[in-house]
Each structure stands twice: as C-alpha cells, then as structure tokens.
Amino acid sequence: MMFNRLFNFSQSKFGYLYENSLFLQNIDKFILPFILLTFLSSTFMSSDSIGFFALIAMFLTFVKLLTKPNESVEFKNFEVWLVAYFMLVIVSLFGSTLFELSLKGFFKTFVYFGFYFSVVQYLKNNLKMIPVVLGTLALCVGGESVVGFLQSFLHLDEISTWQDKSGLNPEDILSRVYGTLKPLNPNLYGGYLVGGLSSIIGAVFYFLNRKMIKAAGVSAIVMLISIYAILQTGCRGAYLSMMLIVGCVFILSAKFFWKAYKKIYLSVISSVIFVFFTAMMFVGALRHRFLSIFAMRNDSSNSFRFNVYHSAIEMFKDNWILGIGVGNKNFREIYGLYMKTGFDALSAYNIYLETAVESGIFALLAFLGFLFTLSQNAVKYILNSNNIEKVIFVSVSIIAIWSIMFHGLVDTIYFRPQLQFMFWTFVAVISVLVSGNEK
C-alpha cells in the first residue's frame, strides 16, 4: 500500500529520533486521554469545541505513524466501502454550487473519519484498553442519565415545542428532559442516551463475567436510570431504538444463557415486556407520547416531518448523482428553494435521505454497503468466537450502531458530534476485534 511505503520511509528517517524520545516511545499514553476527553467534552461543550480534542488525537496518531517502527495502516472489507464513501463526498464537495458552506461540512466529516482512524490505530495495539474506552462512554451516558433523572422531578422550561398538545389533558403532557448536551434538545439527548445504552448494558455483562457482582449491580441500577431518562425525553425515535436494543440484547445473550438458564431467561424477558406495557398503561403522558408515533398526519410533529421528507425527496431528484454537498448549512440554504411555506428545516430528518441529498445515490449505496458488511462481520464474530469478553465488546458496539441507525430513520441527530464520535468509536472496536489482532 502506498501509505505504508510512505510511513516506512518516514519511520526509517526518524528512527534515531524515536529511539531517543520518551515522548514518542510513549505516545499512546498521550493519545488515550484526548480520545477520552472527546467523550467527556461531548456532555457539556458546544459542537465546535468538542472536535478540538479529537484533532489533537488525530495529530498525535499521525506523528506516531511517521515515527514509530512497524506502524502501518490496514483496510478491512467494510472500510473499503468507507473509503469509497469518503471519495464520493469529496467529489460532491467540488461539484457543490455552495462550495464554501460545503467545505465546512466536509471538514467535519474529515474530523469524524480521522477520529475513527485514530481510535483504530490506538486500539489495535492496546486491546486491553477497550474496557476503558467503552467504560468511559458508559460513564458519560450514565452521568447524563442521572441528570435527566433529576430533571424529570423539576418543572423545566420547555425546550422543544414539537409536541402536539391538542386534545391532551395538562397531566398527560410530558415534561421533556434534555440533559446538558449542547444545543439543549430532548431529541439529541434521547439519541445520545439510546446510542450509549448498550455500553451500560455491556458493563453489566462484563462485570458478571468477571464475577464482580457489586459492580454489576451498580451498572444495572444505572441502566434502569438510563431507561427511565430515555422515556422522559419524549423522543419517540429513541423509544423505538430502545425497544430494538432490548430485543437485540435478549437475542444475542441467548448464546450464553439459553441452554443452562432457559426458565430464568424467559422470566426476565416476560418481566421486561410486562413492565413496559404497565408503564404505557398507567402513565398517561408516556402512553400518549408513544401512541403519537402511529398518529401519522394527525400529529403535528409527524406531519411536519412528512412535509420535510417530501421536499427533501424533490431535492434528491434534482441532484441524485452528486448531491448538493455535505453539511447542514449547505442543506438549509438549498432546502429553502423546495420547502413548503412555514416548514423550515435544518435537515431531512432521515439520515439515509440526508446522505442521498448531500452526496448522491452512489454515496448512499457506499454507506449502506459499509453498514451491511460491518454488521455481517460483527454477527459472524459473535456467533463463532468463544472469547466471552470480546463477544460482549463486539455485541455492545454493533447493537449501539444498529440503534443509532434505526433512530436515524426519523431524525438526523446522528450528524451531531456527540453521536458521531460515539458511533465511530463503536465501529473502531469492531474493526480491531474482528480483524484478528488479538494482541
């Protein structure tokens, strides 16, 4: 590979510098804190500021590749699809009529991909740190869940007005929690919690596998708090994704529990289903919010999305090959030419439609190819591996990815840095574990 030849040449030239530099010899110890700071900053810093730590991690990774002997870059089969997608985004950038705005969106995409690359390069030589990386994500999501739990008992000022209150009694109106993520938005908050929920569930299984019962118990309590917080967000896409997560956890965990604990396993499933339906029956605010998913045009929020979908599809029809250029600012400028009066929007409210509009049909196909191949590799690993800990890590990661992608059918908070850095970290964990780098 051309890149590896370049890195080998550079490493040979900087060999003396590397051998006499404690910093370079221990550069991974400096990369990890900036990866973790990217997660921590996502909980309270603005979108523009979060990427600062990711950029430092990217820079240090590039320095490592140039100086550390035998460092190289490898592409898995699903990463070939990612390279194709990235190249198509570049083509879309140069074909955009709003090049300057699209360039800003492209730079964000570059940072997300660069962060993914940095996490892969770090983890492939430090597999023992995967629990630290996933654990930090779980702590961040758990902390945010506690914030949402506390907010649910306060009379919060309304942040989101997209809740159809017509025909509802005041006691049936859900006071939606929104955490500390910037910008304050219950849908972003719900998407963040549901994206990280599997890492908390994974912590329960991880500690149980290590016979650390107290830690598993604490993790289980945090998991319940997280589920409660997700329900209090009023984010209906998060509700559906949470149901997907629970279903996937039960299906995948059957590999370990079905034969020996069949009755207990079925009892747990029945209990979860009973609790869910009980909550929906007796908590009016939750019931009305959940059932509004199926109200179609009778719910103003649903109707708004349908109008946006219609306009976005028209945008795609006119720009189906190269798209309009990546970036929400670019989208909003051109969307104004297609929108129905009174229905302004920041995005297409569907990540697949958004991808097609911004970068064209071929970029969407490349992205779908990436998701399919990644999922195929992950499921194959889960079914065939006997290493329980690594199966837990891969299961946590692929379930999180599926939940984020499922939520993406009805919202585009996926493009926010809080979700992006989380998403690509999960992809990186799968990449290093299914590739055979069992170091």
Side-chain angles (χ1 to χ4, degrees), residues 151 168 327:
Q151 286 180 341
L168 292 180

Side-chain angles (χ1 to χ4, degrees), residues 217-288:
V218 172
S219 299
I221 292 172
V222 174
M223 177 189 71
L224 294 175
I225 293 174
S226 298
I227 292 173
Y228 175 83
I230 291 170
L231 292 174
Q232 292 298 314
T233 65
C235 178
R236 297 168 297 176
Y239 290 176
L240 295 174
S241 292
M242 184 171 65
M243 292 170 66
L244 175 70
I245 290 173
V246 173
C248 288
V249 168
F250 282 131
I251 291 172
L252 294 178
S253 61
K255 174 178 178 179
F256 307 106
F257 300 123
W258 183 257
K259 290 183 179 180
Y261 306 101
K262 183 177 179 180
K263 291 183 178 179
I264 298 176
Y265 187 75
L266 291 174
S267 298
V268 172
I269 295 175
S270 301
S271 299
V272 170
I273 295 174
F274 174 76
V275 170
F276 175 78
F277 281 104
T278 300
M280 290 301 164
M281 287 179 63
F282 293 101
V283 184
L286 286 178
R287 182 176 66 254
H288 287 292

Side-chain angles (χ1 to χ4, degrees), residues 88-205:
L88 288 165
V89 168
I90 294 175
V91 173
S92 176
L93 165 67
F94 285 99
S96 175
T97 55
L98 298 173
F99 178 80
E100 185 176 349
L101 289 179
S102 188
L103 185 62
K104 294 179 180 178
F106 172 77
F107 178 72
K108 292 180 181 179
T109 303
F110 174 78
V111 172
Y112 299 144
F113 274 60
F115 181 77
Y116 163 71
F117 176 75
S118 299
V119 178
V120 168
Q121 290 300 121
Y122 173 79
L123 289 181
K124 75 175 187 177
N125 295 321
N126 299 276
L127 286 185
K128 63 182 181 180
M129 300 306 292
I130 288 178
V132 174
V133 172
L134 293 181
T136 301
L137 277 176
L139 285 173
C140 291
V141 176
E144 277 296 312
S145 299
V146 172
V147 172
F149 178 82
L150 296 175
Q151 286 180 341
S152 69
F153 296 101
L154 304 173
H155 296 288
L156 300 174
D157 294 330
E158 190 173 59
I159 293 294
S160 174
T161 58
W162 290 356
Q163 183 177 182
D164 195 336
K165 302 176 182 177
S166 58
L168 292 180
N169 294 322
E171 62 269 18
D172 289 333
I173 297 174
L174 186 67
S175 180
R176 303 179 65 183
V177 300
Y178 45 79
T180 62
L181 306 183
K182 301 294 190 300
L184 299 176
N185 183 304
N187 288 340
L188 170 60
Y189 181 56
Y192 177 80
L193 293 184
V194 84
L197 177 61
S198 68
S199 62
I200 299 176
I201 297 173
V204 177
F205 285 97

Side-chain angles (χ1 to χ4, degrees), residues 364-385:
L364 174 61
L365 291 175
F367 186 69
L368 292 175
F370 151 71
L371 289 175
F372 176 79
T373 312
L374 176 71
S375 299
Q376 190 178 45
N377 289 357
V379 172
K380 184 178 179 181
Y381 183 90
I382 292 167
L383 294 177
N384 296 327
S385 176

Side-chain angles (χ1 to χ4, degrees), residues 390-407:
K390 291 187 173 70
V391 167
I392 291 172
F393 299 150
V394 173
S395 299
V396 163
S397 300
I398 196 62
I399 291 174
I401 290 167
W402 287 341
S403 69
I404 293 171
M405 292 295 98
F406 191 60
H407 190 185

